[in-house]
Amino acid sequence: MFADRATIIIKSGKGGNGHVSFRREKYVPNGGPDGGDGGKGGDIVFEVDDGQNTLADYRHKRKFAAQPGEEGGKKNCHGRNGTDLVLKVPAGTVIRDAASGKVIADLSGANRRQIILHGGRGGLGNQHFATSTMQAPKYAQPGGESIELEVKLELKVIADVGLVGFPNVGKSTLLSRVTNAQPKIANYHFTTLQPNLGVVELEGARGFVIADIPGLIEGASEGVGLGLEFLRHIDRTKVIIHIVDAAGTEGRDPVADIHAICRELAAYDPKLLEKPQVIAANKMDAVYGDENEIITTLRREFEPDGIKVCPISAVSGKGLKELLWHVRELLDSCSSEPVVYEQEFDPSLQFFQDEPYTITRADDAAFVVEGPKIDKMLGYTNIDSEKGFLFFQKFLKEQGILKELEARGIQDGDTVRMYGNEFDYYK
């Protein structure tokens, strides 16, 4: 079976703890603290691998964890950072939160690499906590916690055109005739068990990618047959080609077949029927003349709705040029932007969701924000980096902290203090 879905558990690396130690050398009887900082935990990174076209690597292994950071050492030695874990997936993979089904990332188009879970920040060694009144601190900061999350991987093939139809109407034959694809072709139902992609080359015009979407039958959107396994691959396509048996060799009613498939598409996602469509009336090599009753009925039923009927023969090549040029015209009327799903869920923010925090005023009028939510966030984020500071700003907004500060009367230029970090507030 084509592996286009997988559910796995991913876990970022815990940050290494800061170290508690004191300088102990000959002739230096009262050496100060010299505990080193812990290393940062490894990130979980997803990256597109053009050599992969399925999610088979994630079918038999469920848990993936990045390396934790090492604890700091004596003599101000910094612990080693944990190694990031890079998980390779095919282009078109959508990563969703398993609990909510919301999109975390879509590795399509220009987005070929994304950090999904950040490793915990390394804890500070005791050297950072020395003060004039506490010259021998026996405390070091623990490393930031790791994050564990169950995610669903879902592959949605990237193609401009989706080829749909009931089994044995000639989809694979058409694909092999107009592209460089070499699908398995045989005269029985459900021969095709995975989407096949091919590139159509047009002289004097831009080519396009066409995908044979297999397994569609009535009830597909409810999980009957193989349909539900492959309906998701139509999501990214811009044009839909319905292929039917115009010669009646299968004893089917092409009009009823198209309506049945449209019902399945609408049941899966009503927006699919908003895509431009064209009907390829196949097997005309078995028909005497250029038209028959089936073609006439198809034209009468669908062309008033703007769906053109193109009589073709995938075997002889008759009518294929006209079909492909019409598809090219439909594609030119569509947006050139690839279909990429927007992020709906940020696991980094979810990690702090249920933790409390407090806002108080210090003697110098600074706003002091403290609590497990803030402590955990600072132990997880490197706010000295540009990306870390952007995450920090997003965190304050998403968690409602900025809104509460404003409700308490904070003004531009006021100071916000968080566990030794100070920021000037500007709206």
Side-chain angles (χ1 to χ4, degrees), residues 205-332:
R206 288 184 297 118
F208 52 87
V209 178
I210 187 170
D212 170 13
I213 310 296
L216 293 188
I217 60 173
E218 288 188 85
S221 60
E222 300 172 359
V224 176
L226 300 175
L228 192 59
E229 298 294 321
F230 302 114
L231 270 166
R232 67 179 60 87
H233 297 299
I234 305 177
D235 282 355
R236 295 194 199 274
T237 61
K238 298 176 180 177
V239 173
I240 296 174
I241 299 177
H242 294 271
I243 185 164
V244 294
D245 175 10
T249 58
E250 289 289 308
R252 304 191 60 89
D253 179 353
V255 173
D257 284 356
I258 293 174
H259 282 309
I261 285 180
C262 285
R263 285 194 297 271
E264 297 308 319
L265 297 179
Y268 178 73
D269 184 353
K271 291 183 179 179
L272 292 178
L273 294 186
E274 298 174 8
K275 299 176 185 285
Q277 301 175 53
V278 60
I279 296 171
N282 192 28
K283 302 189 180 182
M284 291 302 293
D285 54 290
V287 174
Y288 180 76
D290 295 329
E291 191 135 344
N292 63 1
E293 185 179 344
I294 291 177
I295 299 294
T296 302
T297 304
L298 287 170
R299 291 190 195 278
R300 187 169 57 244
E301 181 74 16
F302 296 103
E303 288 195 341
D305 296 328
I307 302 175
K308 185 175 180 178
V309 177
C310 297
I312 67 164
S313 169
V315 173
S316 69
K318 180 180 179 179
L320 294 184
K321 184 176 180 180
E322 291 78 5
L323 170 66
L324 297 179
W325 276 100
H326 180 62
V327 170
R328 179 68 266 174
E329 290 173 1
L330 293 177
L331 287 171
D332 289 340

Side-chain angles (χ1 to χ4, degrees), residues 68-220:
E70 290 186 354
E71 182 179 344
K74 299 179 180 179
K75 300 181 180 180
N76 301 327
C77 288
H78 194 290
R80 181 180 297 173
N81 292 338
T83 303
D84 296 340
L85 180 61
V86 180
L87 301 176
K88 305 279 189 174
V89 294
T93 299
V94 178
I95 303 165
R96 298 179 184 271
D97 171 50
S100 66
K102 293 182 178 179
V103 175
I104 298 173
D106 183 357
L107 295 176
S108 304
N111 187 27
R112 297 180 59 83
R113 179 184 173 92
Q114 186 166 334
I115 298 174
I116 303 301
L117 296 181
H118 292 267
R121 193 185 68 177
L124 300 176
N126 69 330
Q127 59 174 308
H128 294 277
F129 301 99
T131 65
S132 58
T133 57
M134 174 74 72
Q135 297 184 8
K138 297 180 180 179
Y139 166 82
Q141 187 183 43
E145 292 297 319
S146 61
I147 302 178
E148 183 171 294
L149 185 69
E150 185 177 36
V151 297
K152 289 184 176 180
L153 308 183
E154 189 176 78
L155 176 60
K156 297 175 183 280
V157 298
I158 301 175
D160 301 304
V161 179
L163 190 60
V164 299
F166 275 74
N168 216 30
V169 294
K171 298 195 303 295
S172 297
T173 303
L174 175 61
L175 187 69
S176 66
R177 179 82 188 203
V178 301
T179 75
N180 56 357
Q182 296 181 332
K184 294 180 180 179
I185 300 171
N187 189 30
Y188 18 78
H189 301 308
F190 299 110
T191 301
T192 307
L193 294 181
Q194 67 181 58
N196 290 296
L197 277 72
V199 179
V200 175
E201 300 289 352
L202 289 177
E203 187 175 348
R206 288 184 297 118
F208 52 87
V209 178
I210 187 170
D212 170 13
I213 310 296
L216 293 188
I217 60 173
E218 288 188 85

